[in-house]
Amino acid sequence: QFQRFMNMLLNDAISCLDDGFAALKTVRRLEDTEATEGTQEANEEHERQLTGNQGHARGMLQLANNNIHMLALLTTEITVPFVQPEFVDRVASMLDYYLV
């Protein structure tokens, strides 16, 4: 049961990171196109999209941070499940993907 919980926690962290980074890419794209001239309505819609994606990115990355912090806390007290090869490989792959 605990291994299932750990896998779900790691899956959630990965999902939140993916969503957060995707939203950050959208924010960057919207910021790059911010200087375009348009109608006031188009500018307001652009600003709504920008603000919405900024909030979504912030929320997803905060959730990912909380999940990773939870994993860190668990590893200080309960070590045996975290050193099993399948979990070590998953965490190593996740770190390699996001840090490199």
Side-chain angles (χ1 to χ4, degrees), residues 1 3 8 11 17-18 21 23 25 28 35-36 39 41-42 57-58 65 77 89-90 92 98:
Q1 295 291 22
Q3 284 181 324
M8 290 172 61
N11 288 342
L17 285 169
D18 286 342
F21 288 138
K25 286 179 185 178
R28 177 63 184 255
T36 60
T39 66
E41 186 177 299
R58 184 179 304 111
N65 188 43
E77 299 295 324
D89 290 342
R90 286 196 66 211
Y98 288 108

Side-chain angles (χ1 to χ4, degrees), residues 17 21 68 91-100:
L17 285 169
F21 288 138
I68 293 168
V91 172
S93 295
M94 181 186 92
L95 292 173
D96 186 47
Y97 178 78
Y98 288 108
L99 297 178
V100 174

Side-chain angles (χ1 to χ4, degrees), residues 8-86:
M8 290 172 61
L9 192 60
L10 188 58
N11 288 342
D12 194 43
I14 291 169
S15 176
C16 288
L17 285 169
D18 286 342
D19 286 351
F21 288 138
L24 282 176
K25 286 179 185 178
T26 303
V27 166
R28 177 63 184 255
R29 182 181 52 78
L30 289 168
E31 287 176 342
D32 287 346
T33 61
E34 194 168 29
T36 60
E37 295 293 323
T39 66
Q40 182 173 348
E41 186 177 299
N43 289 338
E44 288 172 357
E45 176 61 25
H46 184 273
E47 189 62 32
R48 276 193 295 274
Q49 287 180 352
L50 180 60
T51 303
N53 277 285
Q54 287 171 334
H56 184 68
R58 184 179 304 111
M60 288 293 103
L61 294 175
Q62 284 174 342
L63 286 172
N65 188 43
N66 289 341
N67 288 341
I68 293 168
H69 185 68
M70 171 75 76
L71 283 169
L73 288 174
L74 289 171
T75 60
T76 60
E77 299 295 324
I78 307 166
T79 57
V80 173
F82 292 99
V83 295
Q84 295 187 10
E86 58 274 359

